[in-house]
Amino acid sequence: MKIAIIGAGNMGLSFSKSFLKYDLIKPENLQLITRNESKIPKISAEFPKSKISIFHDVEELTADLIIIAVKPQDFQHVADCFKFKLNENQMILSIMAGIKISKIQKLLHHQSVVRAMPNSPTLLGMGITGYTSAAGIAFNELMNVERLLNSTGRSVYLENEDLLDGVTALSGSGPAYFYYIVDAMIKAGIKMGIDENLSKLFVKQTMLGAYHLINNSEKNLEELIKDVASKGGTTEAALKTFEENDFKEILQKGILNAEKRAKELNG
């Protein structure tokens, strides 16, 4: 298989590294396409055996799979500047937030489109990707795409494309919510007189341990909370403050606004 990735940013490069790490593609069959000429030396150093190209110079693409990894706000410009024609045997895999399959098909004049939404832990092979596809794509073609996506973590196929905006808000944007909470906890530690590095250690290890408890306990989240929050204790005092300030509702409202923004990106 030959793969071309339009948009050699963090996500495009993390996909490339995963494909090569698991020998899903030969380096010489990978083409990385960027609009920023200044990035070429760095990308070439990371992928010395792969073809690195400037988008505006590409007049022909022979790749079997073309991954579009540009910012959704840039997609219209990218589509307008395509100098190459796609043939019916080529497949498009979009990892742009919000841009629907029908719009990609219309702007690229191409029907074989798979739309996916990964998240940043793909950089470590620990991401999760929701994906869906246009009608008419063969099962074996979807399995090939899933095999590639699974090299970056886990993937889930969605029959309903509309759910992908929710996935974007929940898991695509999700890591930032955790970073935000972790940052708030670290700063609370500093306010209590704990050294910054020590506060980071306590908070990060707490998050790591809590994650493993969620994954390995037969108890649900409400039960796990009760295990920590004894009546009249310190945890109960904190949780009461969260409830009085509608912290859970605020967090949910933020996620719903992220979904709304994903829908707006389609135009």
Side-chain angles (χ1 to χ4, degrees):
M1 176 184 280
K2 292 183 179 180
I3 297 177
I5 300 182
I6 300 175
N10 288 336
M11 198 60 71
L13 294 180
S14 70
F15 267 51
S16 302
K17 290 172 184 176
S18 292
F19 299 163
L20 295 175
K21 178 181 177 181
Y22 293 101
D23 296 320
L24 298 176
I25 182 176
K26 295 179 179 178
E28 56 268 27
N29 288 336
L30 174 65
Q31 182 176 2
L32 295 165
I33 303 168
T34 179
R35 288 170 58 190
N36 191 340
E37 193 168 353
S38 65
K39 288 185 176 181
I40 287 185
K42 184 179 178 181
I43 298 171
S44 297
E46 287 189 80
F47 301 89
K49 295 182 181 179
S50 300
K51 184 177 181 181
I52 317 298
S53 309
I54 295 293
F55 176 71
H56 291 287
D57 294 340
V58 179
E59 297 185 357
E60 182 182 17
L61 271 184
T62 59
D64 304 296
L65 179 69
I66 300 161
I67 299 176
I68 302 181
V70 301
K71 294 177 182 177
Q73 298 93 326
D74 295 337
F75 178 56
Q76 180 75 54
H77 173 77
V78 168
D80 290 343
C81 295
F82 260 43
K83 293 181 181 179
F84 42 87
K85 287 188 177 181
L86 302 171
N87 66 60
E88 60 181 16
N89 295 321
Q90 291 176 307
M91 184 180 291
I92 297 289
L93 171 60
S94 165
I95 58 173
M96 297 180 291
I99 309 295
K100 291 191 175 296
I101 287 173
S102 58
K103 184 170 184 177
I104 297 167
Q105 290 174 321
K106 180 180 179 182
L107 292 180
L108 298 185
H109 310 289
H110 193 70
Q111 295 304 302
S112 297
V113 176
V114 175
R115 180 182 164 202
M117 177 41 48
N119 61 4
S120 58
T122 60
L123 293 164
L124 299 175
M126 297 180 69
I128 185 162
T129 301
Y131 76 104
T132 191
S133 66
I137 294 180
F139 179 76
N140 66 303
E141 291 178 311
L142 276 181
M143 288 301 96
N144 284 335
V145 170
E146 185 169 296
R147 190 162 54 96
L148 292 169
L149 295 177
N150 284 345
S151 72
T152 68
R154 299 179 65 180
S155 65
V156 179
Y157 182 79
L158 302 169
E159 292 281 353
N160 183 356
E161 183 185 1
D162 289 339
L163 293 177
L164 210 52
D165 291 326
V167 169
T168 301
L170 196 62
S171 63
S173 300
Y177 313 151
F178 283 92
Y179 306 151
Y180 191 88
I181 292 168
V182 167
D183 184 56
M185 291 175 68
I186 290 169
K187 286 175 178 173
I190 294 169
K191 284 184 177 181
M192 293 183 291
I194 300 171
D195 174 77
E196 182 177 353
N197 288 330
L198 194 55
S199 185
K200 286 179 180 178
L201 174 62
F202 275 114
V203 174
K204 287 192 286 186
Q205 188 62 31
T206 298
M207 294 291 283
L208 180 64
Y211 159 76
H212 284 292
L213 273 176
I214 290 172
N215 263 7
N216 293 288
S217 176
E218 294 181 358
K219 296 180 179 181
N220 60 36
L221 289 171
E222 188 175 331
E223 290 170 325
L224 287 171
I225 290 171
K226 284 182 179 178
D227 284 347
V228 185
S230 55
K231 192 169 180 62
T234 58
T235 309
E236 186 183 67
L239 294 176
K240 185 179 179 182
T241 303
F242 297 157
E243 289 171 7
E244 287 173 349
N245 289 275
D246 297 321
F247 177 66
K248 190 178 289 186
E249 187 177 331
I250 290 168
L251 187 59
Q252 291 173 355
K253 186 177 179 180
I255 295 169
L256 292 172
N257 277 336
E259 181 199 28
K260 180 184 176 184
R261 179 57 183 152
K263 293 181 184 302
E264 291 171 352
L265 288 169
N266 191 57

